[in-house]
């Protein structure tokens, strides 16, 4: 199906807004637009999109996100005074605070038009990640985070992407580029949050370059409204001895698709991926991860857990590719799912492609219900059945959430998850 | 007091209890012994409210309440406690959380105010000292990676904190070395008083050296086949169970 009319419409609206940008970017956008125009949105005929159907998006006429005014107090606060914060509402940047490691892309384009040439979009393959083409074609402003060797940021950087109700469904394309020079360290939180009644499609792309010895803690917290669609690609290039820790938490959204792709390209590089998703009613959450071990002595650990209730559906696809020369690779992956309803569904699939002969690689996937023994044990201690169920569900989730190293964030996430459990009033008193 | 009359119960197609009669007056400790497979653990779990067994006849009353009508948590609120033979590991729920949730659930039921954090910790520390347990245990997952002995100690610790009026201990002595056995017995004995009834399920007379029972019962093939004083346990230790089962001698 041709997406041309929709693309033309988006392109016109987009052109009205972008005043000036470097020629290389205009060229990059054109390629991306051509890709989208030709291929449209991915369909379930794509192997990587077998279980996630974007058909509902076809029926909507999206406009590029325009400025809307909201009362910031309507956005639940993360309670983070100690964070550098940069907020976007429907793609429009709010005020940026001095001392932050973040800059707006528009500012960078103005001051050094070619600074990001060859960098932006370097990690994005449209064939593997078709939605990234849509983002590249239409992102408005974005964020550049550069930590130079020797620079130090103790406080986490919080990027907030707020989706607010607009005149019609809006296409919001957050774009982030993170570059950590050798031996630097940064904690970044990307938070996707929505205001009630929005019907937007947030389609984000974050690219990360980690030089040797660099260390990034990347948190992705998605708590969009149950009417929003959210997609994100996190693409990471890792040099020797770099370390990537990712924590992905999904509690919101109607239709959610996350792609995480990291390339371990130097000896000693490590990637630690952890994820938690909780889906209720008819929510659909899809996590696709790819870890490419391209160098010897690289390590990856991946733990994703999900809780599904009602008629919710989740997909986990974890691919690990060990290249021929990547000897002594050590890769472990697990995906555990707790199904609270007979009508919920999970499709979980590990994929190992190993071309080296001296590697350690393991994977495991489980799908189960709450442990009856544990439930009975708690009840004999006087804990009511609903509370006991909530407690065990929370305990299952918390084994992943406990990996969140920023205390305020961990508390916030634990509370967010707790609020979605039955009988949570009882639980909250106890934490 | 606990009063069990003509209790019949089955699991799947097998009848396990075939007419159990047992009375434990307030203030008394009774031991329940018997060969493997005689139904001891089934009886213990039915008292606590396990739903895997189907009671087909008879009744279990405690302080004039029909226990079989209550959920496990309601039974706990009425003062029933089961120390599990195989305590369950619950990763992610830490011990202190469980103790607090359990204690406060019962206090709420009794119309008492919940303990504040300070009072609660003080109580827990005192009982942990009694059970000779290290404080680091508080923030570990419930029974997670505990040794067999630690799990049993933890059961008795919970019991000393919850102060049940009817305690059923299912083979709490098995797998304990002699020092641990003394500690556990000490914890149990600290709860003995005129208002409390206890049922000790055990295979070994050894436990009864430290927790002296008022009455010893023998359960065989789903029925109590003999009851007597603590000397019955010594006799069983010497002669085994066969003489009781073969033709109800004596």
């Amino acid at each position: 199906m041709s997406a041309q009319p929709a693309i033309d419409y988006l392109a016109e609206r987009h052109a009205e807004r972008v005043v000036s940008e470097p020629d290389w970017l205009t060229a990059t956008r054109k390629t991306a637009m051509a890709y989208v125009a030709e291929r449209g949105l991915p369909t379930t005929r794509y192997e990587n999109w077998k279980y996630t159907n974007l058909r509902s998006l076809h029926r909507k006429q999206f406009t590029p996100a325009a400025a809307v005014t909201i009362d910031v107090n309507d956005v639940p606060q993360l309670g983070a005074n100690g964070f550098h914060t940069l907020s976007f509402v429907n793609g429009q940047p709010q005020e940026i605070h001095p001392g932050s490691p973040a800059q707006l892309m528009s500012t960078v384009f103005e001051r050094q038009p070619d600074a990001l040439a060859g960098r932006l979009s370097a990690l994005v393959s449209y064939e593997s990640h078709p939605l990234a083409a849509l983002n590249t074609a239409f992102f408005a402003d974005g964020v550049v985070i550069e930590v130079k060797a020797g620079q130090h940021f103790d406080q986490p950087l919080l990027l907030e992407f707020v989706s607010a109700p607009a005149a019609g469904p809006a296409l919001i394309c957050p774009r982030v580029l993170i570059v950590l020079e050798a031996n630097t360290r940064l904690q970044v939180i990307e938070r996707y949050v929505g205001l009630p009644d929005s019907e937007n499609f947030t389609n984000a792309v974050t690219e990360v370059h980690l030089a040797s010895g660099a260390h990034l803690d990347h948190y992705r917290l998605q708590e969009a409204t149950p009417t929003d669609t959210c997609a994100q690609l996190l693409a990471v290039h890792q040099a020797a001895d770099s370390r990537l820790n990712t924590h992905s938490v999904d509690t919101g959204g109607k239709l959610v698709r996350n792609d995480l792709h990291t390339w371990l390209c130097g000896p000693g590089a490590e990637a630690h991926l952890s994820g938690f998703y909780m889906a209720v009613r008819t929510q659909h959450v899809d996590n696709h991860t790819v870890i490419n071990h391209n160098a010897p002595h690289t390590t990856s650990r991946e733990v994703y857990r999900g809780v599904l209730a009602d008629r919710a559906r989740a997909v986990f696809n974890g691919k690990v590719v060990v290249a021929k020369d990547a000897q002594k690779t050590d890769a472990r992956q697990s995906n555990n799912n707790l199904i609270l309803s007979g009508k919920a569904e999970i499709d979980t699939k590990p994929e190992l492609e190993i071309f080296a002969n001296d590697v350690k690689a393991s994977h495991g996937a489980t799908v189960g219900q709450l442990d009856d023994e544990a439930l009975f044990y708690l009840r004999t201690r006087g804990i009511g059945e609903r509370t006991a169920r909530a407690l065990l569900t929370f305990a299952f989730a918390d084994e992943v959430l406990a990996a969140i190293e920023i205390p305020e964030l961990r508390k916030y996430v634990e509370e967010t998850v707790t609020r979605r459990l039955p009988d949570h009033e009882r639980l909250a008193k106890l934490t | 007091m606990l009063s069990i009359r003509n209790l019949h119960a089955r699991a799947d197609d097998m009848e396990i209890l075939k007419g159990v009669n047992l009375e434990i007056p307030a203030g008394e400790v009774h031991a329940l012994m018997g060969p493997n497979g005689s139904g001891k653990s089934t009886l213990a779990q039915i008292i606590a409210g396990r739903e895997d067994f189907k009671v087909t006849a008879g009744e279990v009353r405690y302080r004039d309440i029909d226990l079989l009508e209550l959920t496990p948590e309601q039974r706990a609120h009425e003062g029933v406690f089961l120390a599990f033979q195989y305590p369950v590991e619950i990763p992610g729920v830490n011990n202190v959380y469980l103790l607090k949730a359990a204690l406060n659930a019962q206090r709420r039921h009794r119309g008492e105010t919940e303990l504040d954090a300070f009072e609660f910790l003080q109580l827990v520390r005192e009982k942990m000292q009694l059970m000779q347990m290290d404080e680091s245990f508080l923030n570990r997952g419930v029974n997670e990676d505990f040794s067999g002995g630690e799990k049993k100690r933890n059961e008795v610790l919970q019991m000393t904190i919850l102060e049940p009026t009817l305690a059923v201990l299912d083979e709490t002595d098995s797998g304990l070395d002699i020092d641990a056995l003394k500690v556990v017995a000490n914890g149990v004995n600290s709860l003995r008083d005129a208002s409390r009834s206890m049922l000790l399920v055990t295979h070994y007379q050894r436990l009864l050296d430290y927790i002296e029972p008022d009455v010893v019962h023998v359960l065989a093939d789903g029925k109590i086949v003999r009851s007597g004083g603590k000397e019955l346990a010594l006799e069983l230790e010497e002669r085994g169970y066969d003489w009781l089962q073969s033709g109800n001698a004596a």
Side-chain angles (χ1 to χ4, degrees):
Chain A
M1 177 178 100
S2 169
Q4 195 61 51
I7 297 302
D8 288 346
Y9 177 78
L10 275 167
E12 274 169 41
R13 301 289 89 74
H14 179 77
E16 289 164 9
R17 221 161 272 132
V18 175
V19 187
S20 71
E21 57 184 26
D23 293 343
W24 63 267
L25 180 57
T26 308
T28 304
R29 286 197 196 274
K30 270 194 182 140
T31 313
M33 270 183 221
Y35 184 91
V36 178
E38 192 197 323
R39 308 290 292 269
L41 295 175
T43 70
T44 51
R45 285 196 301 273
Y46 288 50
E47 177 61 27
N48 282 339
W49 288 84
K50 206 167 147 188
Y51 301 108
T52 296
N53 198 328
L54 297 179
R55 204 172 42 208
S56 63
L57 297 179
H58 286 284
R59 282 184 244 118
K60 289 182 182 164
Q61 177 78 297
F62 285 99
T63 53
V68 289
T69 308
I70 61 158
D71 182 348
V72 287
N73 294 317
D74 291 341
V75 181
Q77 292 301 300
L78 187 47
N81 297 324
F83 298 173
H84 292 292
T85 304
L86 174 56
S87 299
F88 287 75
V89 177
N90 286 9
Q92 308 300 313
Q94 312 295 296
E95 125 189 67
I96 192 162
H97 300 279
S100 164
Q103 288 178 282
L104 291 178
M105 271 184 194
S106 52
T107 311
V108 176
F109 293 150
E110 223 169 86
R111 292 182 188 156
Q112 298 166 277
D114 294 332
L116 305 181
R119 272 268 187 69
L120 195 68
S121 258
L123 300 179
V124 173
S125 143
Y126 301 149
E127 278 303 317
S128 312
H129 304 293
L131 288 180
L134 187 67
N135 175 290
T136 305
F138 297 116
F139 76 84
D141 204 345
V143 185
V144 182
I145 300 153
E146 253 184 305
V147 181
K148 304 271 184 205
Q151 267 188 319
H152 224 74
F153 294 97
D154 288 332
Q155 296 170 323
L157 169 65
L158 170 64
L159 302 175
E160 267 181 336
F161 299 98
V162 181
S163 161
L171 173 67
I172 305 167
C173 295
R175 185 81 184 208
V176 181
L177 176 66
I178 300 173
V179 181
L180 300 194
E181 290 193 351
N183 302 314
T184 58
R185 182 170 183 179
L186 191 67
Q187 295 177 309
V188 176
I189 304 161
E190 286 184 38
R191 180 185 186 212
Y192 296 89
V193 60
L195 296 180
D197 305 320
S198 60
E199 276 187 78
N200 301 332
F201 176 24
T202 298
N203 175 34
V205 172
T206 297
E207 290 173 274
V208 178
H209 296 265
L210 300 181
S212 63
H215 178 158
L216 175 70
D217 292 306
H218 183 274
Y219 295 89
R220 187 188 142 279
L221 178 55
Q222 185 274 115
E223 41 182 337
T225 58
T227 42
D228 262 16
T229 301
C230 293
Q232 194 206 25
L233 166 65
L234 174 64
V236 187
H237 181 274
Q238 297 188 241
D241 298 318
S242 64
R243 175 153 178 159
L244 170 73
N245 293 339
T246 67
H247 304 263
S248 171
V249 178
D250 286 283
T251 57
K254 172 181 152 201
L255 179 57
V256 179
R257 165 71 181 226
N258 303 311
D259 283 275
L260 196 168
H261 198 150
T262 188
W263 288 267
L264 299 159
C265 297
E270 289 191 22
H272 296 246
L273 279 47
S274 87
F276 174 72
Y277 43 93
M278 181 167 190
V280 300
R281 293 188 287 275
T282 56
Q283 284 181 300
H284 179 112
V285 185
D286 178 344
N287 278 288
H288 267 67
T289 65
V290 184
I291 301 170
N292 275 94
H293 289 264
N294 284 355
H297 296 280
T298 49
T299 303
S300 66
R301 295 284 180 271
E302 180 170 19
V303 180
Y304 270 66
R305 282 195 170 195
V307 173
L308 304 173
D310 309 324
R311 291 167 171 278
R313 191 158 179 201
V315 180
F316 174 81
N317 193 108
K319 188 170 178 174
V320 175
V321 185
V322 181
K324 196 161 127 272
D325 300 329
Q327 302 294 4
K328 305 286 181 191
T329 283
D330 183 357
R332 281 185 227 159
Q333 180 194 89
S334 71
N335 172 234
N336 311 107
N337 297 280
L338 186 56
I339 306 281
L340 302 178
S341 141
K343 287 176 177 150
E345 193 181 322
I346 167 81
D347 292 289
T348 174
K349 184 179 170 196
E351 278 185 78
L352 298 184
E353 289 178 14
I354 300 174
F355 302 100
N357 54 24
D358 184 12
V359 301
K360 273 193 265 182
S362 68
H363 63 81
T366 63
V367 179
Q369 282 130 29
L370 288 175
D371 178 5
D372 282 338
E373 287 288 318
L375 204 55
F376 178 60
Y377 188 83
L378 292 174
R379 294 177 73 189
T380 64
R381 279 10 180 191
I383 298 171
E385 185 178 358
R386 277 170 62 85
T387 311
R389 284 183 185 280
L391 185 53
L392 290 174
T393 306
F394 179 75
F396 174 83
D398 206 41
E399 285 202 82
V400 195
L401 305 181
I404 297 176
E405 284 173 3
I406 302 170
E408 305 94 301
L409 183 64
R410 176 175 168 187
K411 186 161 182 280
Y412 180 84
V413 171
E414 287 179 340
E415 283 168 4
T416 304
V417 170
T418 302
R419 268 199 305 278
R420 297 167 69 87
L421 299 171
D423 229 20
H424 63 86
E425 301 85 353
R426 284 273 153 77
L427 284 181
K429 262 191 211 164
L430 296 160
T431 44
Chain B
M1 63 176 275
L2 176 71
S3 170
I4 298 175
R5 300 236 171 94
N6 188 35
L7 186 66
H8 287 69
R10 53 198 314 142
D12 300 322
D13 288 341
M14 199 158 71
E15 189 166 36
I16 299 175
L17 300 183
K18 302 172 180 172
V20 173
N21 291 293
L22 181 64
E23 304 271 329
I24 309 180
E28 289 195 6
V29 174
H30 289 204
L32 183 66
M33 305 182 76
N36 290 331
S38 59
K40 302 187 297 295
S41 282
T42 301
L43 180 62
Q45 299 204 34
I46 286 175
I47 295 171
R50 172 79 90 185
E51 284 152 3
D52 300 1
F53 303 105
K54 193 169 154 47
V55 173
T56 52
E59 59 174 16
V60 179
R61 300 187 75 83
Y62 174 63
R63 290 179 161 173
D64 279 332
I65 304 162
D66 180 358
L67 279 191
L68 298 179
E69 289 294 311
L70 303 185
T71 61
E73 54 270 33
Q74 287 169 331
R75 296 179 203 206
H77 298 159
E78 294 300 334
V80 177
F81 181 90
L82 170 66
F84 280 58
Q85 183 182 3
Y86 302 109
V88 185
E89 296 198 16
I90 313 180
V93 176
N94 71 33
N95 281 293
V96 73
Y97 191 107
L98 170 62
L99 287 171
K100 203 164 159 187
L103 184 63
N104 283 336
Q106 303 200 12
R107 291 183 70 94
R108 269 199 305 273
H109 177 78
R110 295 196 294 258
E112 297 166 5
T113 52
E114 296 181 9
L115 292 187
D116 67 31
F118 179 77
E119 294 168 321
F120 171 73
L121 267 183
Q122 210 173 21
L123 172 70
V124 171
R125 289 212 172 100
E126 179 199 321
K127 302 299 184 189
M128 281 176 65
Q129 214 161 14
L130 175 70
M131 295 309 296
Q132 299 185 17
M133 291 171 81
D134 189 82
E135 261 199 44
S136 65
F137 134 97
L138 280 177
N139 290 312
R140 289 165 65 188
V142 173
N143 293 317
E144 191 180 5
D145 301 325
F146 283 24
S147 70
E150 282 177 319
K151 285 181 182 168
K152 298 301 176 77
R153 259 183 224 218
N154 191 23
E155 294 295 286
V156 178
L157 174 76
Q158 292 177 12
M159 183 172 126
T160 61
I161 288 168
L162 297 175
E163 302 189 312
T165 49
L166 172 63
V168 180
L169 291 91
D170 191 2
E171 297 195 26
T172 301
D173 54 330
S174 60
L176 294 183
D177 63 33
I178 195 71
D179 292 330
L181 183 68
K182 283 182 190 167
V183 171
V184 162
N186 204 17
V188 174
N189 286 328
S190 75
L191 282 180
R192 281 184 92 148
D193 76 18
S195 66
R196 213 161 257 143
S197 309
M198 294 194 200
L199 181 63
L200 308 175
V201 175
T202 182
H203 272 293
Y204 304 105
Q205 192 276 331
R206 190 180 70 153
L207 173 71
L208 307 180
D209 286 341
Y210 299 97
I211 309 173
E212 268 192 49
D214 296 296
V215 182
V216 174
H217 305 277
V218 178
L219 186 71
D221 193 24
K223 279 183 174 169
I224 303 272
V225 294
R226 165 93 38 138
S227 300
K230 62 184 182 214
E231 62 290 341
L232 176 57
L234 289 168
E235 198 174 353
L236 292 167
E237 182 93 338
E238 225 167 85
R239 298 176 64 185
Y241 293 110
D242 285 349
W243 60 283
L244 286 170
Q245 281 164 296
S246 51
N248 282 339

